[in-house]
Amino acid sequence: MGKIFDVVLLILILVSVVFVMLESVKGFPEEVYDILYYGEWVITIFFTFEYIARVITIKKPSSYIFSFYGIIDFLSTVPLYLSFILVGSNVLLTVRALRLLRVFRILKITRYVGESNKLISALKESRPKILVFLFFVIIISIIAGTVMYLVEGEESGFVSIPVSVYWCIVTLTTVGFGDIAPVTPLGQLIAAFIMIMGYGIIAVPTGIVSAEYAKSTSKAKPDDDHYVHVNSQACRNCGASKHRDDADFCHHCGDQLHPEDILEKDA
Amino acid sequence: MGKIFDVVLLILILVSVVFVMLESVKGFPEEVYDILYYGEWVITIFFTFEYIARVITIKKPSSYIFSFYGIIDFLSTVPLYLSFILVGSNVLLTVRALRLLRVFRILKITRYVGESNKLISALKESRPKILVFLFFVIIISIIAGTVMYLVEGEESGFVSIPVSVYWCIVTLTTVGFGDIAPVTPLGQLIAAFIMIMGYGIIAVPTGIVSAEYAKSTSKAKPDDDHYVHVNSQACRNCGASKHRDDADFCHHCGDQLHPEDILEKDA
Amino acid sequence: MGKIFDVVLLILILVSVVFVMLESVKGFPEEVYDILYYGEWVITIFFTFEYIARVITIKKPSSYIFSFYGIIDFLSTVPLYLSFILVGSNVLLTVRALRLLRVFRILKITRYVGESNKLISALKESRPKILVFLFFVIIISIIAGTVMYLVEGEESGFVSIPVSVYWCIVTLTTVGFGDIAPVTPLGQLIAAFIMIMGYGIIAVPTGIVSAEYAKSTSKAKPDDDHYVHVNSQACRNCGASKHRDDADFCHHCGDQLHPEDILEKDA
Amino acid sequence: MGKIFDVVLLILILVSVVFVMLESVKGFPEEVYDILYYGEWVITIFFTFEYIARVITIKKPSSYIFSFYGIIDFLSTVPLYLSFILVGSNVLLTVRALRLLRVFRILKITRYVGESNKLISALKESRPKILVFLFFVIIISIIAGTVMYLVEGEESGFVSIPVSVYWCIVTLTTVGFGDIAPVTPLGQLIAAFIMIMGYGIIAVPTGIVSAEYAKSTSKAKPDDDHYVHVNSQACRNCGASKHRDDADFCHHCGDQLHPEDILEKDA
């Protein structure tokens, strides 16, 4: 029941986002915009009721209202009302895109949870290292950008250091728009060097996440149903060893075991 | 013998695909198109016979006809006949490209199989995580695309939110066509941020596949000295379970065990 | 001595390659081209003598002449003589670039060898899987290229299926030149899908190489200085076990050990 | 206290870098450039005092002056004074960007240190392999660049071999500016081949760093049953070494051991 409601909500969210996107497209017949407009109002009123229902039903409303999803839910309803009052405030409509984040509520009750949690924990583990890495990327971009500004000059599109740094980030991340490109031989040489560096250092965050992720999933534990931990004690009667830790009798001869025989306790 | 037939088939498939591609190229002398046309008919007739032969020789034809390869085989022959009837229906010819998938039949009997199976199983294992990841990519693209639409406006080529979202995907995946590129300083700053994010998050699926693949090739084996394999039989006297596979007496009460109680033998 | 000769050779190779490259640049004063021309002849004559010397000094010349490096050495000297005979045959000069491969001869005697061998063996191990992967990439490009040709049409630059397939490879590999770019909404949607797919599947070869490489280097060996291999024999006097393989006396009581007590020899 | 000073320094460095970048932007009102100019002087004077303070307070000034950071600190103050003397020498101002590297001083005292050290050590471990890899990339680029120059010719923008090589690096690293792009069918075929190769070989450095990083974080521990920890003590009787940590008698001659002989206790 709750799951069906969640699916309906998910569809409404997606429809709403598609509506926002289509509204920005020019060239449709006038009726389409009318449909988008009224559809938008229907969805917003639905979300408004949902928001009010959540606030009422939750014991401690403040904890919801100021939570991540509470704020998103609020921002998902307000913009349209505001745009009704303040004509031309379609900037606020953007906020609705954040509503998409609520999709994860549904993900939470699916089998994807375990996976995405592992993913997020691996990312969290790697965060300090990735921040150090991104810091390096920005420093390289600032230095290389300044050099390119000096080498290429304004005729090639490197009109200022910030634009040069922007170009460096475009190049180092291997995006390469091509709206700005070096034309002097020296500029192209430096650019080649930046590209090869970018190509090489992309390995760093990948390696980090890969290793962290492998670590967080490896910790090979034998499965509990088919393996039990055994210890080194020997049966006093038959000498059989590798008894279960909680065994009271020998698995081989049935003789009583003596726990004091366990010599080494391993961690 | 069957392998030779497969190789002939593979060559015919490749020739057929090359023919379809060349047909779309303009500027050849007229005779070339004639050769392509007649060659196409010869190959199609060959494939038609092959399809009929398959349907006849297989005991249960319906299981083949509605299988993945059965549908591809059918779609590989029909378009040309249809195009003969319906002039100008060269849209259907595209379907023939799918025929290339049959190449994997030959791969199945080569040493590549074990490898590609491992690859596919690693991909299957990673699928939920990669879906979560791609979901994140699309959400980021929608939000960032809307922001860029607001920031850059229509003069820079960001004519609508869908186009902006398209641009964001182009940027986040580090493709960077450059047909649309930000021109305002704020737009370039946000673009730089998107690029660095894209550069950083490419590490995530790589890390996942890498770790999953490594795991699928090295199965965790518990060390033999501190773990033994246990089975599901229960002691008839005290009901204790998880006895060693070779246990003759219950580890809990010392009563004789009965090996016939082991219900499931696991591989 | 041989190493110094190798270094001289390496420098000559690099100079020669730089000469070939500079020769193609227009706009230098006439004297530069003269220097390049005569320099080229000097280097070529040197390489000719080296080639002759190699052929003479090697016991079985045919094994060298038809080897990989033998062919490269031959092709490194012949083009210039040929260009002297056949005016305008500067196509053959390209072959000289292959001469750069001889650089690896020097790498062979450096510490990089162990590293690059491990690298090459990891690549060799991964080869069948990477071939399967590249095969998938080409199949996806052919299918997607045909679809894009149908969707975009010739006005957007998708003038034929081969060009469309070329564009797909450009997009799937995240290169993205932007000389051809989709302009229709449907084309951009499919392009976005191709890009995300390309962004996702780049993880596959990386994961494979990563895992293979890790496997080839792991095989954890305990460090020799702080760990020694011990065996299962028990001292006849005190029962202490885990003696060094070469131990003659018990580490616990000092009693003589009896090597025949070692029951299991592990590999 | 020292940390607060470091934070102030960090902010000044960032402000200074932003000032240098903004100075290059055209179109601000005249007052902004005045603020940037005077702000720059204030910061430079502050850095001058800091540099002098460092030289004075350090016992052995020469070791600081010629150290990496010493040179950066010097170059961070001198350019502005020089630019005052030599009008138009704004080239030297670039050097100030290097000042950003001092940011790592603060990183040193944060929790990121352990992480970045591990990162750097993993990179150092991988360096020879990555150099071999980059060497391969450059060789491929030179050969492919020469081929593209021959195939495409000067009409397509491949005006010389160096420019062709530059284009190859742009393509192989998947940057793809698009300022130069092949137009002939053969050129596009070769380009497609280069791209797929680039897409495939990006896996190599990633795999290397990933594996090296994983190795550096998970040190191989020998399994307990077949390996025991030994120490450096030598038997007083026969001189045999590498005795078990808990050994009381020499494994070689059976003579009593003296625990006080163990010189180094390792963690």
Side-chain angles (χ1 to χ4, degrees), chain B residues 21 24-26 94 100 103-104 112 115 119 133-134 166 169-170 172-177 179 198 201-202 205-206 210 213, chain C residues 128-129 135 146 150 154 160-162 167 171 174-178 181-182 188 195-196 199 203-204 206-208 210-211:
Chain B
M21 288 170 76
S24 73
V25 180
K26 268 155 207 72
T94 319
L100 250 192
V103 165
F104 284 94
Y112 293 99
E115 309 293 350
L119 191 67
F133 168 75
L134 292 182
Y166 161 74
I169 292 171
V170 170
L172 203 65
T173 55
T174 77
V175 173
F177 284 130
D179 54 341
I201 61 177
I202 205 170
T206 309
S210 184
Y213 185 81
Chain C
K129 281 158 239 164
F135 189 74
T146 311
L150 292 166
E154 302 184 16
S160 68
I161 294 178
W167 174 85
T171 304
T174 78
V175 173
F177 284 130
Q188 294 184 334
M195 279 174 250
I196 288 177
Y199 193 55
V204 177
T206 309
I208 292 165
S210 184

Side-chain angles (χ1 to χ4, degrees), chain A residues 189-216:
Chain A
L189 187 69
I190 295 167
F193 189 73
I194 293 168
M195 279 175 252
I196 287 177
M197 198 159 60
Y199 192 56
I201 61 177
I202 204 170
V204 178
T206 309
I208 292 165
V209 173
S210 183
E212 290 293 332
Y213 186 82
K215 228 165 62 181
S216 83

Side-chain angles (χ1 to χ4, degrees), chain A residues 119-130:
Chain A
L119 191 66
I120 288 162
S121 83
L123 273 176
K124 265 189 191 154
E125 285 283 320
S126 320
R127 210 179 40 186
K129 281 157 239 163
I130 284 184

Side-chain angles (χ1 to χ4, degrees), chain C residues 21-67:
Chain C
M21 288 170 75
L22 287 181
E23 232 169 76
S24 74
V25 181
K26 268 155 207 73
F28 287 126
E30 200 59 43
E31 301 87 63
V32 173
Y33 297 107
D34 286 352
I35 292 166
L36 292 176
Y37 183 76
Y38 292 116
E40 193 48 45
W41 271 109
V42 170
I43 290 166
T44 304
I45 287 161
F46 181 90
F47 283 156
T48 310
F49 279 114
E50 187 224 354
Y51 181 71
I52 292 164
R54 276 188 200 276
V55 172
I56 290 166
T57 54
I58 282 165
K59 251 188 271 176
K60 218 184 140 202
S62 67
S63 74
Y64 165 69
I65 292 168
F66 299 107
S67 73

Side-chain angles (χ1 to χ4, degrees), chain B residues 143-155:
Chain B
I143 294 169
T146 311
V147 171
M148 286 303 284
Y149 170 71
L150 292 166
V151 167
E152 281 290 324
E154 302 183 16
E155 309 81 53

Side-chain angles (χ1 to χ4, degrees), chain A residues 125 127-129 131-133 135-136 138-139 142-143 146-147 149-150 154 159-163 165 167 170-183 187-189 191-193 195-197 199-200 202-212 214-215 264 266, chain D residues 10 17 20-22 24-26 90-91 93-94 97-98 100-101 103-104 107 111-112 115-116 118-120 123 130 133-134 137-138 162-163 166 169-180 197-203 205-207 209-211 213-214 217-218 225:
Chain A
E125 285 283 320
R127 210 179 40 186
K129 281 157 239 163
L131 284 180
V132 168
F133 167 75
F135 189 74
F136 265 103
I138 289 165
I139 286 187
I142 288 173
I143 295 169
T146 310
V147 170
Y149 171 71
L150 292 166
E154 302 183 17
V159 291
S160 68
I161 293 178
V163 166
V165 171
W167 175 86
V170 170
T171 304
L172 203 66
T173 55
T174 77
V175 172
F177 284 131
D179 53 341
I180 309 165
V183 292
Q188 293 184 336
L189 187 69
F193 189 73
M195 279 175 252
I196 287 177
M197 198 159 60
Y199 192 56
I202 204 170
V204 178
T206 309
I208 292 165
V209 173
S210 183
E212 290 293 332
K215 228 165 62 181
E264 55 164 330
D266 58 336
Chain D
L10 174 59
V17 169
V20 172
M21 287 170 76
L22 288 181
S24 74
V25 180
K26 268 155 206 73
N90 70 332
V91 175
L93 286 168
T94 320
L98 289 167
L100 250 192
L101 285 170
V103 165
F104 284 96
L107 282 178
R111 67 191 183 92
Y112 294 100
E115 310 292 351
S116 72
K118 242 191 279 179
L119 191 65
I120 287 161
L123 272 176
I130 285 184
F133 167 74
L134 291 183
V137 167
I138 289 165
V163 166
Y166 162 72
I169 292 170
V170 170
T171 304
L172 203 66
T173 55
T174 79
V175 173
F177 284 132
D179 53 341
I180 309 166
M197 199 158 60
Y199 192 55
I201 60 176
I202 203 170
T206 309
V209 173
S210 182
Y213 185 83
T217 58
S218 71
D225 272 295

